[in-house]
């Protein structure tokens, strides 16, 4: 096989784009490419955000299906996230006000049972606290009152006046508490329903927001595609025509690629030539028939691939073991034979094309 007489690409003299004498145009092109890269990075972040949202939503789909009918009713009108937050604040304020009223009624019970709540001063202070450190639910007060009575009975003999009085007062307390309990239960049920509705509304608002984000993202991706298409057209128009010698070297370099990389090179050709069958058993690749942009894409691809291939070969050659090669040679030979056969067919096609182009005109 012929060897390349010179490096396939000298980066310092590539000149793929002919911006000679027009530095402003070249700088503008570079600036537009940089802008697209920045925009693509931002779009990728938003895509990840949307993917995470819908991935999380799919895990909760079982729970959401239980309230399917409610969701359908709510879908007719989905409030915004800001409105949801405002409504949540109003609900919390209303619920806190209702709970304060229940605490006031509980305080009446406490005064009816204990005329002078000496040991209940802490409870009383917490009930009246305005700095947010007090009780949040009337059941918390009930638990503390019971604790006072139980401690009085626990740490005093059964026949003592303290024990007997604590037991009597606790019985009266429980009687009064049962009268208030239905109101407490009703309020708790109401809070639970409001919380469930608020969570549903919030979920619908989030879904609506992410659906809008997905639509906007789709539109922006379309715009990016259009910008890239414009840049591609500009590149095609500005591509310097490749010389005959450069085409010859490119054909030789293609024959040096591995079967896998050669298939990738053929796919590059197919991208700009829909009629080209990159995966066909027999491939006829005419270098002279390719567009300038395809030739330059092939040239850059071959350059990068051969550099990686050379580094890989050097590394493998330094670490390979003879015994390992013998052990694996059977399986590798079958694979290599098939790959090499296809590679020879493609290289022969390239060589035939080169010979045909070199024939003198009759």
């Amino acid at each position: 096989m012929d060897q390349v007489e010179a490096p396939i690409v000298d980066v310092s003299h590539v000149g793929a784009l002919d911006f000679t004498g027009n530095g402003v145009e070249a700088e503008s092109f570079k600036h537009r490419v940089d802008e697209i890269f920045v925009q693509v990075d931002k779009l990728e972040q938003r895509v990840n955000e949307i993917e995470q949202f819908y991935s999380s939503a799919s895990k909760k789909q079982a729970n959401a299906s239980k309230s399917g009918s409610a969701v359908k009713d709510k879908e007719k009108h989905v409030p915004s996230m800001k409105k949801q937050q405002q409504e949540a604040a109003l609900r919390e304020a209303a619920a806190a006000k209702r709970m304060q009223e229940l605490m006031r009624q509980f305080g009446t019970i406490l005064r009816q049972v204990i005329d002078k709540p000496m040991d209940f001063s802490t409870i009383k202070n917490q009930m009246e606290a305005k700095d947010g450190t007090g009780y949040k639910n009337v059941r918390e007060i009930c638990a503390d009152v019971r604790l006072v009575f139980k401690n009085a009975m626990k740490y005093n003999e059964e026949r003592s006046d303290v024990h007997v009085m604590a037991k009597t007062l606790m019985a009266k307390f429980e009687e009064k508490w049962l009268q208030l309990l239905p109101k407490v239960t009703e309020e708790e049920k109401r809070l639970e329903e409001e919380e469930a509705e608020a969570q549903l509304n919030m979920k619908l608002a989030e879904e609506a927001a992410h659906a809008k984000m997905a639509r906007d993202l789709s539109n922006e991706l379309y715009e990016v595609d259009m910008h890239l298409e414009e840049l591609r057209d500009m590149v095609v128009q500005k591509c310097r025509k490749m010389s005959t010698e450069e085409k010859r070297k490119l054909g030789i370099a293609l024959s040096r690629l591995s079967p896998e990389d050669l298939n990738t090179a053929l796919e590059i050709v197919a991208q700009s030539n829909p009629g080209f069958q990159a995966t066909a058993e027999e491939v006829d690749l005419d270098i002279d028939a390719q567009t300038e942009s395809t030739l330059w894409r092939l040239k850059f691809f071959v350059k990068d691939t051969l550099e990686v291939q050379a580094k890989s070969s050097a590394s493998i050659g330094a670490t390979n073991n003879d015994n390992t090669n013998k052990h694996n040679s059977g399986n590798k030979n079958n694979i290599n034979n098939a790959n090499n056969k296809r590679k020879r067919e493609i290289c022969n096609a390239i060589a035939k094309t080169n010979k045909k182009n070199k024939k003198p005109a009759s």
Side-chain angles (χ1 to χ4, degrees), residues 36-183:
I36 289 179
F37 275 125
V38 172
Q39 188 175 2
V40 168
D41 289 339
K42 292 180 179 178
L43 291 176
E44 286 181 349
Q45 293 176 1
R46 291 170 61 188
V47 168
N48 291 335
E49 181 181 344
I50 293 174
E51 287 179 346
Q52 290 174 3
F53 171 79
Y54 283 108
S55 175
S56 176
S58 64
K59 295 178 182 178
K60 301 176 182 177
Q61 187 175 5
N63 295 332
S65 62
K66 296 180 181 178
S67 56
S69 59
V71 172
K72 291 180 181 179
D73 294 336
K74 293 291 183 182
E75 284 178 349
K76 298 177 182 178
H77 176 69
V78 180
S80 64
M81 295 287 288
K82 185 176 181 180
K83 188 175 181 180
Q84 290 284 352
Q85 294 171 350
Q86 292 173 345
E87 291 179 354
L90 292 175
R91 281 196 305 272
E92 290 176 2
K97 186 175 181 180
R98 294 194 301 269
M99 187 58 67
Q100 286 295 329
E101 174 59 22
L102 288 173
M103 290 182 183
R104 186 192 66 77
Q105 296 180 33
F106 188 89
T108 302
I109 295 174
L110 202 58
R111 286 191 294 273
Q112 291 175 350
V113 176
I114 304 294
D115 293 333
K116 296 181 179 180
M118 296 297 292
D119 296 330
F120 294 86
S121 58
T122 302
I123 297 176
K124 183 174 181 294
N125 290 336
Q126 280 194 269
M127 288 175 61
E128 297 175 352
K130 304 296 183 182
D131 58 357
T133 61
Y135 294 111
K136 301 297 186 296
N137 191 297
V138 70
R139 287 186 183 273
E140 297 175 359
I141 313 174
C142 181
D144 281 354
V145 171
R146 284 173 176 160
L147 180 61
V148 171
F149 288 134
K150 288 179 180 179
N151 286 340
M153 290 185 289
K154 181 178 181 180
Y155 296 107
N156 291 277
E157 293 183 2
E158 189 174 350
R159 295 182 180 180
S160 67
D161 292 341
V162 174
H163 185 102
V164 173
M165 185 174 290
K167 187 175 182 180
T168 302
L169 293 175
M170 185 172 182
K172 291 182 179 180
F173 169 76
E174 294 293 350
E175 181 182 344
K176 296 291 184 180
W177 167 249
L178 288 176
Q179 295 175 5
L180 183 63
L181 187 56
K183 293 183 179 180

Side-chain angles (χ1 to χ4, degrees), residues 72-342:
K72 291 180 181 179
D73 294 336
K74 293 291 183 182
E75 284 178 349
K76 298 177 182 178
H77 176 69
V78 180
S80 64
M81 295 287 288
K82 185 176 181 180
K83 188 175 181 180
Q84 290 284 352
Q85 294 171 350
Q86 292 173 345
E87 291 179 354
L90 292 175
R91 281 196 305 272
E92 290 176 2
K97 186 175 181 180
R98 294 194 301 269
M99 187 58 67
Q100 286 295 329
E101 174 59 22
L102 288 173
M103 290 182 183
R104 186 192 66 77
Q105 296 180 33
F106 188 89
T108 302
I109 295 174
L110 202 58
R111 286 191 294 273
Q112 291 175 350
V113 176
I114 304 294
D115 293 333
K116 296 181 179 180
M118 296 297 292
D119 296 330
F120 294 86
S121 58
T122 302
I123 297 176
K124 183 174 181 294
N125 290 336
Q126 280 194 269
M127 288 175 61
E128 297 175 352
K130 304 296 183 182
D131 58 357
T133 61
Y135 294 111
K136 301 297 186 296
N137 191 297
V138 70
R139 287 186 183 273
E140 297 175 359
I141 313 174
C142 181
D144 281 354
V145 171
R146 284 173 176 160
L147 180 61
V148 171
F149 288 134
K150 288 179 180 179
N151 286 340
M153 290 185 289
K154 181 178 181 180
Y155 296 107
N156 291 277
E157 293 183 2
E158 189 174 350
R159 295 182 180 180
S160 67
D161 292 341
V162 174
H163 185 102
V164 173
M165 185 174 290
K167 187 175 182 180
T168 302
L169 293 175
M170 185 172 182
K172 291 182 179 180
F173 169 76
E174 294 293 350
E175 181 182 344
K176 296 291 184 180
W177 167 249
L178 288 176
Q179 295 175 5
L180 183 63
L181 187 56
K183 293 183 179 180
V184 176
T185 304
E186 181 182 356
E187 174 61 21
E188 289 173 339
K189 184 178 179 181
R190 180 177 178 177
L191 287 173
E192 184 178 350
E193 291 174 350
E194 288 181 351
E195 181 64 24
E197 183 178 3
Q199 289 181 359
L200 178 60
N201 288 336
M202 186 64 71
K203 178 177 179 294
L204 291 173
E206 288 179 349
E207 289 179 352
H210 281 83
K212 182 178 182 302
M213 186 185 297
R215 290 193 298 271
D216 295 342
L217 188 60
S218 177
N219 293 333
E220 291 186 40
L221 286 171
Y222 175 77
E223 292 179 2
V224 170
D225 286 339
M226 296 303 295
H227 288 312
L228 289 174
E229 188 64 24
E230 290 176 4
L231 292 177
R232 177 181 176 278
D233 292 340
M234 183 186 298
V235 169
V236 171
Q237 295 172 6
K238 294 292 182 178
C239 276
R240 172 177 65 77
K241 188 174 181 180
M242 190 175 288
S243 66
T244 303
E245 179 63 15
E246 287 175 312
K247 292 179 183 179
R248 186 185 71 81
K249 291 181 179 179
L250 177 59
I252 296 173
L254 284 170
S255 66
R256 295 173 55 195
L257 296 178
S258 67
E260 294 81 5
D261 292 331
L262 189 57
N263 287 335
T264 303
L266 295 178
E267 290 174 2
I268 293 175
V269 175
Q271 289 175 8
S272 59
N273 186 1
F276 182 77
Q277 299 295 326
T279 58
E281 292 185 2
E282 293 185 4
V283 178
D284 185 8
L285 178 60
D286 187 351
I287 293 294
D288 292 327
Q290 306 308 314
T291 63
E292 295 301 325
S293 60
T294 300
L295 292 174
W296 283 105
R297 289 180 62 194
L298 284 173
K299 188 169 185 176
F300 287 123
F301 169 74
V302 170
K303 171 186 174 295
D304 294 338
T305 303
L306 290 180
E307 287 179 354
V308 173
Q309 187 174 304
K311 293 179 181 177
S312 177
S313 298
S315 175
I316 294 175
T319 57
N320 267 352
N321 185 285
D322 291 339
N323 292 330
T324 303
N325 289 338
K326 291 178 182 179
H327 179 72
N328 296 326
S329 61
N331 293 332
K332 287 185 177 180
N333 284 339
N334 294 333
I335 298 173
N336 290 337
N337 288 339
N339 289 337
N340 290 334
K341 180 180 179 182
R342 174 168 172 77

